[in-house]
Amino acid sequence: MEIQFYLSNLLSRFQGKHWWLGILLWFVLIAPAQASVILRVAIERGVNQVKVGASTTAIVKDSSGRTLGKLPAMNAYAARSIPGGIALDRWQSGLFWVEPTDKGFVYIGDRWFRGRTLIVPTEKGLTAVNWVDLEEYLYSVLGGEMNSSWPAEALKAQAIAARTYALYKREEQRNNPVYDLGDTPDRWQIYKGVSSESRSIYDAVDSTAGQVLTYNNRIILSVFHACSGGHTENVEDVWGNPLPYLRAVKDFDQNIKQCNWLRTFTPAEIGGQVSGVGNVKDMIIESLSPFRSVKSLRIVGDQGSKVIKGEAVRTALKLKSTRFTLKKDTNGNFVLTGLGFGHGIGMSQWGAYNLAKQGANHLQILGHYYQGVALTPIESK
């Protein structure tokens, strides 16, 4: 039976609900040992206040590492931005560490996480950062990005891709003094905390621990998406810059219902989502990729026209993908019939699912979607 507990409701049950402590302890006891790479994941950014706490007694420290006191287990406290720093319970400091004892969990905002919490002031308030072991971070990411009931080989492929992506982004953010990653899929990966964890996820992460994808001895940008609709794209046809390992390949996700979509827009809806064109008169697909994704879309209005290119087409119109056909109906509305879900670059998650169902192992799956890469152990840092 899949193990999945949603602890985000614990905040409302903090007082007098000690039976939940058994569940929290159970999670700790089944968790595999920590690795040595620490990620800094921003959970709340630029807010005026954030609720923090821990499942066990938490040690509170200031910027010098001096212990200020303790927060009792299973209580929430508001960390507030104040002139010159942050206020937390009875303390004021330039920043705060909240470190649970006995391998407890931390509470940030409305969710539970492994690791510890750093709260720092920023230009727009304060930012709460979860400092967490890379492998334990993946316990959450994997459960958020892929269904835990999927084949083990697909889960392993996702674990390696997600680990690689996290470290690529960490390096990309190396000059950021506060955090390496966020917790949303728009720029990073889905990170919901312990609510996403399950036994099959632990197995996939642990069995691939420390393994990443490299090209010419460098960690790759191992992007992935839900499904392409039959063929992935060359990265330069979506984001503009070619990469030798992100090449278009045949996909195996044509049979997925979620990857076939239909959207109808009125001219007013288009005008509301694309500024500067006024009342929309027409939409014209100007160029396509070799695999028939829209590379350039012109929107014509009574105040002018605008050309949208690449991935911006999907984000501007809030579409599932850029692989679509376009026509006008008898009412003058724009009807888009599409395939795929996501940017269409790198690994298709539904494609990985189908390949695993057909007997492919995780290395074969990864080798198909990321061309010419090597599987490499990471160095502890």
Side-chain angles (χ1 to χ4, degrees):
M1 180 177 179
E2 183 180 63
I3 304 163
Q4 194 163 19
F5 291 96
Y6 292 90
L7 302 182
S8 59
N9 291 329
L10 284 175
L11 182 63
S12 63
R13 306 184 183 188
F14 271 166
Q15 302 295 335
K17 300 295 184 180
H18 300 296
W19 60 276
W20 276 98
L21 293 174
I23 292 175
L24 292 171
L25 178 61
W26 182 82
F27 255 109
V28 172
L29 290 175
I30 66 171
Q34 288 189 339
S36 54
V37 176
I38 299 299
L39 292 179
R40 305 170 302 163
V41 187
I43 307 301
E44 297 282 355
R45 290 178 291 153
V47 297
N48 291 326
Q49 71 173 37
V50 60
K51 289 183 178 179
V52 296
S55 62
T56 58
T57 299
I59 307 299
V60 179
K61 296 180 180 179
D62 64 13
S63 57
S64 67
R66 179 172 61 98
T67 297
L68 301 176
K70 297 180 179 180
L71 295 179
M74 308 301 285
N75 282 272
Y77 295 86
R80 295 179 291 104
S81 177
I82 61 172
I86 300 169
L88 173 62
D89 194 36
R90 60 189 180 277
W91 306 293
Q92 294 184 8
S93 179
L95 61 79
F96 287 104
W97 289 98
V98 178
E99 301 179 351
T101 58
D102 301 322
K103 297 183 179 180
F105 299 115
V106 292
Y107 189 84
I108 307 173
D110 61 357
R111 290 172 288 164
W112 291 94
F113 300 90
R114 296 177 181 273
R116 54 182 176 151
T117 304
L118 173 64
I119 311 161
V120 297
T122 57
E123 291 183 3
K124 297 182 179 180
L126 58 84
T127 293
V129 183
N130 178 212
W131 283 49
V132 61
D133 174 82
L134 169 63
E135 302 300 318
E136 293 185 344
Y137 163 81
L138 292 173
Y139 294 156
S140 175
V141 168
L142 196 55
E145 291 286 356
M146 192 171 275
N147 191 309
S148 61
S149 67
W150 280 18
E153 295 303 311
L155 293 173
K156 291 177 186 178
Q158 180 68 70
I160 294 172
R163 183 182 296 109
T164 305
Y165 185 81
L167 292 179
Y168 183 96
K169 287 294 182 179
R170 179 176 182 248
E171 174 63 18
E172 194 175 65
Q173 288 278 104
R174 64 186 179 275
N175 294 324
N176 187 323
V178 179
Y179 61 88
D180 304 313
L181 302 159
D183 62 348
T184 56
D186 51 350
R187 288 180 56 194
W188 298 290
Q189 303 182 101
I190 298 172
Y191 181 55
K192 299 178 180 178
V194 298
S195 66
S196 298
E197 297 183 9
S198 70
R199 170 54 66 188
S200 61
I201 297 302
Y202 297 145
D203 292 343
V205 173
D206 295 343
S207 64
T208 63
Q211 298 175 10
V212 294
L213 300 172
T214 60
Y215 187 91
N216 287 344
N217 297 316
R218 296 182 65 87
I219 288 177
I220 71 166
L221 177 59
S222 56
V223 290
F224 46 86
H225 57 282
C227 53
S228 70
H231 211 288
T232 69
E233 290 287 345
N234 292 314
V235 63
E236 64 269 23
D237 288 326
V238 181
W239 290 336
N241 297 317
L243 290 168
Y245 50 84
L246 291 178
R247 313 317 303 155
V249 296
K250 176 185 176 182
D251 212 343
F252 302 88
D253 55 11
Q254 299 93 323
N255 63 326
I256 306 303
K257 181 180 178 181
Q258 298 94 312
C259 302
N260 292 264
W261 54 270
L262 182 72
R263 287 287 304 275
T264 300
F265 294 96
T266 66
E269 287 173 332
I270 298 293
Q273 292 180 222
V274 179
S275 62
V277 295
N279 296 319
V280 174
K281 303 297 183 182
D282 203 1
M283 288 206 301
I284 304 162
I285 295 175
E286 292 195 331
S287 63
L288 295 169
S289 76
F291 307 100
R292 306 202 64 77
S293 289
V294 175
K295 290 181 63 176
S296 179
L297 178 70
R298 180 177 294 277
I299 299 177
V300 182
D302 60 5
Q303 296 178 11
S305 67
K306 178 177 286 189
V307 176
I308 308 174
K309 295 184 177 181
E311 181 70 353
V313 174
R314 183 168 73 99
T315 54
L317 299 180
K318 298 179 174 61
L319 302 174
K320 282 189 173 183
S321 73
T322 57
R323 185 166 291 161
F324 60 85
T325 59
L326 168 64
K327 67 178 183 179
K328 263 189 175 184
D329 66 15
T330 55
N331 296 317
N333 298 321
F334 300 97
V335 180
L336 281 60
T337 304
L339 289 172
F341 197 158
H343 47 61
I345 308 167
M347 186 178 74
S348 160
Q349 292 167 319
W350 276 107
Y353 170 91
N354 279 334
L355 281 169
K357 283 285 191 181
Q358 294 169 21
N361 64 38
H362 64 285
L363 297 179
Q364 291 170 321
I365 293 169
L366 293 169
H368 176 70
Y369 288 109
Y370 306 107
Q371 299 286 291
V373 300
L375 189 67
T376 306
I378 60 175
E379 296 180 2
S380 299
K381 293 183 180 180

